[in-house]
C-alpha cells in the first residue's frame, strides 16, 4: 500500500514529489508518456526564479527529479490504465499492475491543441509538429520557409527558435495583435526573419498525396481571400488541452475539461488532490505549477496525518 501516488512528472508532480518525499511519505511518482512534462520541450526558461541566466527546460526538470529522488521519491516510467476512487484505499492499475494508495495527487498537465484542419493529422511528423525544440533542427526544415500558427507565448517562442534554421518563419495568427507577453511579442516582431500574417487562419495543410508538407492554404478572416503559402513545415502552437480524460467520469471538470477543486488542491473526493496545468487554465506557468504541486503535497500530508489520528 502506497501512502501517496503522484501522477505526472512535470513541475507540479515533481514539486509535489520533493515535498512529500521530504515528509517521509516515499511517494510513488508516475511519469506518464512525457517524462518531465511540457517544459522538457521548451528551450531556455527565463522566468523561473533563481536562474538569472535562464535554464534549459530539460535540465530544470532533470534537476527537479534528482531533488525528489534524493529525498526518497520512487520515480517510475509508467502510465495509469485506470483509477477507482469509489472506495478506500484508492485503486489504480499501472501498466497492468494493481496498486493501492491512501492518497493521490493528479498532476497530469496538458497536451497540445490541434488545429483540426485537413492534412494536419496525416502529415504529423512529416512536417507538421507541435514542438520546435524537438523537431526544428531536422534536416527537412533547414533553410526552408516554415509556418508557425498561434499568437501566444508558445508561438512566439517557437518562431524565435526556428529562425536559427529557417529561411523565413511565417507567424500565422487569427487576430491582428499577439496574445503573448509584451517582452516576447516585442522580440518576435523585431526579428527580421519572422513575418507575421495577421487575421489569418490555416484551412488546410498540403500535400498528403506527397507524404510531406509542401505548403498551407490560408484564409484571411477579414477579406475571406485565400492563398497558398509554400513551406516545408507547420509548427502548431495554439494552446493546450488538459490531460484529464482518465478522470472525466469520476472527478468534476469545468466546461474546458480542467479539474475543479473544492479547497486548495482538494477535490470532492477525500484524499485526491490536483495540481498544475490540468487544474489551471489561467496562469499555466512553470512556477505556478510548482506552487500548486507544493500545495497538493501539503494538503495530502495533512489528509494522511488526519487519517492516523
Ligand atoms: P495561449 O496563450 O492559450 O495562446 C494560444 C494562441 O493560439 C492564441 O494566440 C490563440 O488565438 C491561438 N489559437 C487558439 N486556438 C486556435 C485555433 N483553433 N486556430 C488558430 N489559432 C488559435 O497558449 P500558449 O502560447 O501555449 O501559452 C500557454 C501558457 O503558457 C500561457 O499562460 C503562456 O504565458 C505560457 N507560456 C509562457 C512562456 C514563457 O513565459 N516563456 C512560454 C510558453 C508558454 P487568440 O489570441 O485569438 O485567442
Amino acid at each position: 500500500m502506497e501512502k501517496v501516488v503522484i501522477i505526472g512528472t512535470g513541475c507540479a508532480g515533481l514539486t509535489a514529489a520533493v515535498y512529500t518525499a521530504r515528509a517521509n511519505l516515499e511517494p510513488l511518482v508516475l511519469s506518464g508518456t512525457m517524462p518531465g512534462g511540457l517544459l522538457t520541450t521548451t528551450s531556455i526558461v527565463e522566468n523561473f526564479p533563481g536562474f538569472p541566466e535562464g535554464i534549459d527546460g530539460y535540465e530544470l526538470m532533470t534537476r527537479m527529479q534528482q531533488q525528489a529522488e534524493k529525498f526518497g521519491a520512487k520515480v517510475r516510467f509508467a502510465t495509469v490504465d485506470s483509477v477507482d476512487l469509489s472506495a478506500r484505499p484508492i485503486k489504480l492499475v499501472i501498466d497492468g499492475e494493481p496498486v493501492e494508495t491512501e492518497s493521490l495527487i493528479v498532476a497530469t498537465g496538458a497536451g497540445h491543441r490541434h488545429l483540426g484542419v485537413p492534412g494536419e493529422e496525416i502529415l504529423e511528423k512529416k512536417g507538421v509538429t507541435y514542438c520546435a525544440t524537438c523537431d526544428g533542427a531536422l534536416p527537412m526544415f533547414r533553410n526552408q520557409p516554415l509556418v508557425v500558427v498561434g499568437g501566444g507565448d508558445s508561438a512566439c517562442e517557437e518562431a524565435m527558435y526556428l529562425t536559427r534554421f529557417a529561411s523565413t518563419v511565417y507567424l500565422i495568427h487569427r487576430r491582428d495583435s499577439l496574445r503573448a507577453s509584451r517582452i516576447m511579442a516585442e522580440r518576435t516582431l523585431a526579428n527580421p526573419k519572422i513575418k507575421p500574417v495577421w487575421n489569418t487562419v490555416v484551412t488546410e495543410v498540403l500535400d498528403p498525396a506527397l507524404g510531406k508538407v509542401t505548403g498551407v492554404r490560408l484564409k484571411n478572416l477579414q477579406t475571406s481571400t485565400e492563398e497558398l503559402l509554400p513551406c516545408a513545415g507547420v509548427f502548431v502552437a495554439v494552446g493546450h488541452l488538459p490531460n484529464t480524460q482518465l478522470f472525466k467520469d469520476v472527478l468534476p471538470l469545468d466546461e474546458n475539461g480542467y479539474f475543479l477543486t473544492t479547497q486548495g488542491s482538494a477535490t470532492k473526493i477525500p484524499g485526491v488532490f490536483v495540481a498544475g496545468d490540468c487544474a489551471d487554465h489561467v496562469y499555466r506557468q512553470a512556477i505556478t505549477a510548482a506552487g500548486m504541486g507544493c500545495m497538493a503535497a501539503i494538503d495530502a500530508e495533512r489528509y494522511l496525518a488526519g487519517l492516523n489520528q
Side-chain angles (χ1 to χ4, degrees):
M1 165 83 82
E2 301 292 339
K3 295 188 198 77
V4 190
V5 170
I6 299 170
I7 311 179
T9 50
C11 282
L14 287 177
T15 304
V18 170
Y19 273 76
T20 49
R22 286 193 78 245
N24 282 340
L25 296 174
E26 299 167 68
L28 173 62
V29 191
L30 308 171
S31 67
T33 50
M34 191 187 251
L38 275 182
L39 215 62
T40 57
T41 67
T42 193
S43 47
I44 294 291
V45 182
E46 289 184 332
N47 51 10
F48 200 90
F51 299 94
E53 312 303 330
I55 179 165
D56 177 79
Y58 184 82
E59 188 186 346
L60 180 62
M61 300 320 298
T62 305
R63 286 197 196 194
M64 277 193 204
Q65 180 170 335
Q66 287 167 347
Q67 195 174 353
E69 287 175 329
K70 178 176 135 188
F71 295 113
K74 301 166 287 184
V75 181
R76 256 172 68 182
F77 180 73
T79 46
V80 178
D81 303 324
S82 64
V83 287
D84 179 358
L85 309 180
S86 61
R88 307 293 92 182
I90 293 163
K91 294 180 188 59
L92 308 172
V93 178
I94 301 170
D95 287 342
E97 179 197 331
V99 171
E100 294 186 341
T101 180
E102 288 180 54
S103 69
L104 179 66
I105 295 176
V106 184
T108 44
H112 298 286
R113 186 194 296 277
H114 292 201
L115 291 173
V117 299
E120 179 186 19
E121 197 181 334
I122 199 161
L123 292 172
E124 189 173 341
K125 296 193 169 64
K126 294 173 184 155
V128 174
T129 149
Y130 301 85
C131 176
T133 334
C134 318
D135 303 325
L138 291 173
M140 65 178 167
F141 298 133
R142 301 253 169 175
N143 301 312
Q144 299 291 325
L146 300 177
V147 155
V148 173
V149 191
D153 279 322
S154 298
C156 289
E157 204 170 68
E158 305 262 293
M160 296 283 287
Y161 183 76
L162 290 171
T163 57
R164 301 179 196 189
F165 314 107
S167 54
T168 305
V169 178
Y170 294 96
L171 182 61
I172 316 291
H173 184 34
R174 63 185 179 183
R175 294 186 295 122
D176 64 357
S177 66
L178 296 174
R179 172 182 296 279
S181 55
R182 198 161 164 181
I183 185 169
M184 292 291 281
E186 283 176 1
R187 270 188 215 165
T188 305
L189 298 178
N191 191 310
K193 268 191 157 183
I194 299 175
K195 306 255 180 281
V197 183
W198 303 115
N199 302 309
T200 296
V201 290
V202 171
T203 55
E204 187 179 359
V205 184
L206 302 163
D207 185 343
L210 297 178
K212 64 175 185 177
V213 170
T214 57
V216 285
R217 194 178 301 282
L218 300 178
K219 181 176 180 188
N220 184 302
L221 294 176
Q222 288 187 329
T223 61
S224 291
T225 48
E226 293 198 18
E227 68 170 304
L228 256 174
L229 177 67
C231 65
V234 180
F235 292 76
V236 181
V238 296
H240 299 95
L241 294 173
N243 295 324
T244 53
Q245 299 83 346
L246 189 63
F247 298 89
K248 69 180 185 339
D249 298 324
V250 284
L251 285 176
L253 306 175
D254 72 10
E255 68 278 11
N256 294 314
Y258 291 84
F259 286 122
L260 290 169
T261 50
T262 50
Q263 193 176 11
S265 68
T267 64
K268 71 163 195 183
I269 302 206
V272 180
F273 306 91
V274 294
D277 284 5
C278 59
D280 169 26
H281 69 282
V282 180
Y283 303 102
R284 298 178 297 174
Q285 304 297 304
I287 191 67
T288 49
M292 292 171 83
C294 164
M295 288 163 59
I298 292 173
D299 289 340
E301 199 184 329
R302 290 184 181 158
Y303 168 79
L304 291 169
L307 287 185
N308 297 326
Q309 270 171 8

